[in-house]
């Protein structure tokens, strides 16, 4: 009993979050429970509640931890460069910790790192001349691309290097007389003339180009 008490006394939010992130990286956040987390830490589950009120609070803490791994945008630099860097940096973190996206879109994340991340992003846009509402639309548009693309990428049903063979095996399901454009594209994939994979950077650049004034509402750089 003394040994278990000693472990509990050394328990901190940081050690709990580190263990929770490790478990989520291995098996996903859906598989995470306070009981499993306590077992991994060698403590009683009730001791976790001294640091997190409930599982949702733990999950929000994990999301806040993950967002802290993304460098904050710099409001004093060109907004295009900062929005571009933010997108690529966020995608890299979300690929390392795939559970983060679900937590970001399903919980009311108000941790200090999330708030600082949003504040810095808004500052980048407002410093460039966007009003607050347009700035909010802009970064949410970019985040929709980041989240959606990364989720598709993480859940793609086969390895990219196998895509050509898989496409070749299923060409008979795409008759050219019914789906001429789709069949022509599939043939290019099967022949390895085109990898068939979506391009994250291209999407980022299209969004930035649109924000540079294509709508006639948002400011040019």
């Amino acid at each position: 009993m003394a040994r278990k008490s000693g472990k509990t006394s050394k328990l901190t939010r940081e050690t709990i979050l580190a263990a929770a992130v490790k478990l989520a990286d291995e098996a996903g956040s859906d598989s995470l429970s306070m009981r499993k987390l306590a077992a991994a830490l060698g403590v009683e589950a009730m001791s976790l509640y001294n640091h997190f009120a409930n599982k949702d609070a733990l999950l929000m803490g994990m999301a806040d931890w993950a967002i802290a791994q993304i460098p904050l945008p710099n409001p004093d630099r060109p907004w295009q460069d900062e929005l571009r860097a933010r997108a690529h940096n966020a995608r890299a973190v979300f690929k390392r910790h795939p559970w983060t996206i679900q937590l970001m879109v399903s919980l009311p994340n108000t941790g200090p790192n999330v708030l600082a991340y949003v504040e810095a992003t808004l500052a980048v846009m407002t410093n460039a001349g966007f009003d607050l509402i347009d700035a909010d639309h802009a970064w949410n548009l970019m985040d929709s691309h980041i989240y959606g693309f990364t989720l598709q990428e993480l859940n793609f049903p086969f390895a990219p290097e196998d895509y050509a063979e898989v496409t070749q095996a299923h060409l008979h399901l795409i008759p050219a007389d019914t789906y001429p454009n789709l069949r022509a594209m599939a043939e290019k994939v099967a022949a390895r003339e085109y990898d068939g994979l979506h391009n994250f950077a291209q999407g980022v650049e299209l969004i930035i180009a649109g924000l540079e004034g294509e709508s006639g509402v948002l400011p040019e750089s």
Side-chain angles (χ1 to χ4, degrees):
M1 292 297 293
R3 198 177 330 166
K4 187 168 287 187
S5 175
K7 287 183 179 179
T8 303
S9 67
K10 295 179 182 177
L11 209 59
T12 65
R13 282 182 62 90
E14 290 70 26
T15 57
I16 294 171
L17 285 174
V21 165
K22 184 175 186 296
L23 289 175
D25 283 348
E26 293 170 352
S29 61
D30 287 344
S31 68
L32 184 64
S33 70
M34 300 301 259
R35 187 183 299 273
K36 287 182 182 178
L37 179 56
L41 288 163
V43 300
E44 297 293 340
M46 287 304 297
S47 64
L48 301 179
Y49 293 99
N50 294 324
H51 302 274
F52 296 94
N54 49 45
K55 184 180 176 182
D56 277 355
L58 171 68
L59 294 175
M60 287 187 282
M62 292 167 62
D64 198 59
W65 176 91
I67 294 301
Q69 313 309 306
I70 305 171
L72 289 178
N74 183 345
D76 296 324
R77 289 178 48 80
W79 69 267
Q80 297 95 330
D81 293 344
E82 292 307 293
L83 208 59
R84 183 180 294 115
R86 178 185 180 277
H88 288 281
N89 289 332
R91 178 185 173 220
V93 169
F94 297 155
K95 288 183 70 175
R96 290 199 300 272
H97 308 289
W99 44 267
T100 305
I101 294 176
Q102 180 59 31
L103 301 187
M104 289 299 297
V105 300
S106 63
L107 292 170
N109 292 289
T110 56
N113 294 314
V114 171
L115 296 180
Y117 181 63
V118 175
E119 174 62 26
T121 304
L122 288 172
V124 165
M125 305 307 290
T126 56
N127 279 9
F130 292 75
D131 68 35
L132 270 174
I133 293 176
D134 286 339
D136 187 55
H137 287 317
W139 77 265
N140 277 287
L141 173 63
M142 184 64 80
D143 276 10
S144 294
H145 174 58
I146 298 167
Y147 293 161
F149 188 99
T150 308
L151 283 173
Q152 286 184 312
E153 190 174 26
L154 291 168
N155 292 283
F156 199 63
F158 16 78
E161 60 269 21
D162 298 332
Y163 198 18
E165 285 72 19
V166 172
T167 303
Q168 180 66 54
H170 291 84
L171 279 178
H172 66 283
L173 299 175
I174 314 174
D177 55 344
T178 307
Y179 311 106
N181 292 292
L182 186 56
R183 175 61 182 243
M185 184 177 66
E187 287 176 349
K188 288 184 178 295
V189 174
R192 294 189 181 277
E193 296 174 6
Y194 168 52
D195 63 15
L197 303 176
H198 296 166
N199 188 312
F200 179 76
Q202 183 180 36
V204 170
E205 296 307 319
L206 285 171
I207 291 171
I208 290 174
L211 293 173
E212 283 178 325
E214 292 294 329
S215 69
V217 176
L218 301 179
E220 296 185 1
S221 58

